[in-house]
Amino acid sequence: VGYVDVLIPRGGKGLIKACVKNATVPCIETGTGICHIYVEKTADFDMALKIIDNAKTSRPSVCNAAEVLLLDKAVANEFLPRLYDMFNGRVELRGDSEVCGIIPVKAATADDFDTEFLDYIMAVKIVDGVKQAVEHIANHSTHHSESIITSDDSAAQYFTDMVDSAAVYVN
């Protein structure tokens, strides 16, 4: 009959709705993207900052833009000031109470960790290790795209084994 058996649209909410409404073949509806980046305690900070900057600012209105940053507690005091300086007002950071105790940012609400901002806004949460990062992602993710930045192969393996998303990235 035709050449396309099924359509799986990946993109923003408008594209997905248009495909579901107008497709003449079966369409698997995907959701919005609340994408996470987890900076593990062994991460190379320079690399992490470049990845975060690109993932948030290159195209903030797309479904695979980073919306939530999870940061290992062991490096929070050292990493957060660098993140704050890097964004220098270009991105509004909303932090949990621990983040707000380290850098002067707006306090995050519970809803901020479940919001696809599609804007220059990022929620930031401090977690106590990779297991807590994976737990947070399991509770708040739309299963779109998640990333770990690490130099620890076992942390990367745990993350990729335990995170259930369409795309899971390491570094």
Side-chain angles (χ1 to χ4, degrees), residues 68-81:
V68 178
L69 175 65
L70 303 173
L71 180 61
D72 197 293
K73 184 179 204 136
V75 296
N77 286 319
E78 185 180 352
F79 188 83
L80 283 171

Side-chain angles (χ1 to χ4, degrees), residues 141-163:
S141 174
T142 56
H143 307 285
H144 191 295
S145 301
E146 321 300 345
S147 178
I148 183 173
I149 304 169
T150 184
S151 295
D152 182 339
D153 291 340
S154 63
Q157 189 65 55
Y158 181 84
F159 190 87
T160 58
D161 287 347
M162 300 306 291
V163 170

Side-chain angles (χ1 to χ4, degrees), residues 22-89:
N22 299 307
T24 58
V25 297
C27 186
I28 298 173
E29 184 174 356
T30 58
T32 57
I34 300 175
C35 303
H36 296 78
I37 296 176
Y38 168 51
V39 177
E40 193 266 341
K41 65 185 174 187
T42 66
D44 175 291
F45 285 5
D46 291 331
M47 178 176 62
L49 290 166
K50 288 177 186 174
I51 291 169
I52 294 164
D53 188 35
N54 180 272
K56 183 70 237 177
T57 65
S58 65
R59 293 185 64 211
S61 63
V62 297
C63 64
N64 63 336
E67 302 290 12
V68 178
L69 175 65
L70 303 173
L71 180 61
D72 197 293
K73 184 179 204 136
V75 296
N77 286 319
E78 185 180 352
F79 188 83
L80 283 171
R82 290 186 62 185
L83 177 76
Y84 182 80
D85 289 345
M86 176 187 73
F87 281 141
N88 192 24

